[in-house]
Amino acid sequence: MLGQARSGAQGVLAVDVGNTETSFGVFENGELVGRRSLSTRQRLTPDEALISMRSVLSMIAPAAAMGGAILSCVVPPLTETWLQALRELSATRPLVVGPGLKTGVRMRYRDPSEVGPDRMADLVAARERYGAPVVVVDMGTTLNIEVVDSEGTFQGGLIAPGFRLGARALSQAAARLPMIELRAPQTVIGRSTREAMQSGVVYGEVARVDGLLDMVANELGEQPPVVLTGDGASVIAALLRHEATVDEDLTLRGLYLLWKANRR
């Protein structure tokens, strides 16, 4: 958690509703001054969403009034729920990342409306903060890789199951395999069932990300800088062959930039 907002300040609230986790960030003058995350509830009323947000704001920005708000939601049934709650907190109409929002990014995607709001926020922030070309690896319920070329154009990307999802599936599908803590064992060759699973999941993810980054670089004809974000980014980045920057706040920063570009 970052420091609290200043007393009496006007803030911008960014809400990123993912499949597993919902993140909240408060910005003042372009700076992220506080953030928190909660588990995503698949069934939620607007009142419950409002209570959750007020609870979070009481911890990270107790004295700040929200002059604006922006929402990214990859769980369609929850979009209207969170939007209704945001209307109660924001002094201006909350924005929702989706078709019709200006991004300032040239797209080579066949149907730009298919690009998820979290993916859009990631690539907007990465291009602004790290320049172009750049590749974003976002590790969540899904593994998203976004590719921006040297001209700043979004070329497209890759979507695959995330490594935590893979670990859960492994445990649920095989009766004798336990749930594991996702950390790297000391050796690749596991000497217990838990170590073998940790090695397969964690080192397997490292090999997968490294391999995919090699393939992306080969297709682009250059090796762009790599930015990792999301759950487990620090764990994986420390083990990669590729040099990578970890930016845990990338999605929230992208949401703020989208709000700034579209505020009325």
Side-chain angles (χ1 to χ4, degrees):
M1 183 188 73
L2 297 173
Q4 294 181 346
R6 294 186 302 275
S7 175
Q10 278 251 321
V12 176
L13 176 60
V15 181
D16 176 31
V17 182
N19 288 291
T20 304
E21 193 173 81
T22 297
S23 297
F24 307 85
V26 174
F27 289 82
E28 287 181 14
N29 300 318
E31 294 296 321
L32 181 62
V33 296
R35 66 162 296 168
R36 283 277 183 169
S37 295
L38 303 174
S39 295
T40 296
R41 291 173 53 189
Q42 300 300 318
R43 295 174 62 87
L44 195 69
T45 68
D47 285 342
E48 289 170 330
L50 182 59
I51 289 169
S52 294
M53 283 194 292
R54 282 179 170 158
S55 176
V56 167
L57 289 173
S58 71
M59 291 183 283
I60 62 175
M66 293 302 110
I70 185 166
L71 171 68
S72 162
C73 183
V74 300
V75 188
L78 294 178
T79 301
E80 185 59 30
T81 297
W82 283 102
L83 184 57
Q84 286 185 41
L86 281 171
R87 291 190 185 113
E88 296 291 324
L89 288 178
S90 176
T92 57
R93 183 171 65 86
L95 301 179
V96 181
V97 182
L101 214 65
K102 294 184 296 184
T103 66
V105 179
R106 295 189 299 275
M107 309 281 283
R108 288 201 62 187
Y109 223 65
R110 290 191 178 91
D111 184 356
S113 68
E114 291 183 351
V115 180
D118 54 340
R119 298 175 67 197
M120 183 60 69
D122 282 347
L123 70 93
V124 166
R127 197 184 69 159
E128 172 77 14
R129 291 174 64 80
Y130 303 101
V134 66
V135 173
V136 179
V137 181
D138 191 335
M139 310 184 68
T141 303
T142 58
L143 171 70
N144 297 337
I145 298 181
E146 318 303 346
V147 182
V148 178
D149 68 16
S150 57
E151 296 181 354
T153 300
F154 176 50
Q155 290 287 334
L158 301 88
I159 303 174
F163 77 138
R164 292 189 184 276
L165 180 62
R168 288 198 300 271
L170 190 63
S171 178
Q172 291 168 1
R176 296 187 61 181
L177 296 182
M179 288 296 295
I180 56 171
E181 180 186 357
L182 289 179
R183 60 180 179 83
Q186 292 184 343
T187 59
V188 174
I189 302 172
R191 291 176 173 81
S192 70
T193 298
R194 287 185 179 276
E195 286 183 0
M197 291 176 66
Q198 287 174 330
S199 182
V201 172
V202 176
Y203 288 125
E205 185 72 350
V206 171
R208 179 169 67 153
V209 172
D210 266 329
L212 290 172
L213 290 174
D214 284 340
M215 296 170 73
V216 166
N218 184 61
E219 198 163 297
L220 280 179
E222 60 183 328
Q223 179 62 69
V226 177
V227 181
L228 262 68
T229 191
D231 191 21
S234 296
V235 173
I236 300 301
L239 299 169
L240 290 175
R241 284 188 292 103
H242 293 80
E243 183 177 343
T245 299
V246 175
D247 189 337
E248 296 178 350
D249 302 319
L250 189 73
T251 308
L252 291 174
R253 294 185 192 281
L255 290 178
Y256 174 77
L257 290 170
L258 287 167
W259 175 85
K260 187 178 177 182
N262 289 270
R263 61 182 171 177
R264 293 174 176 82

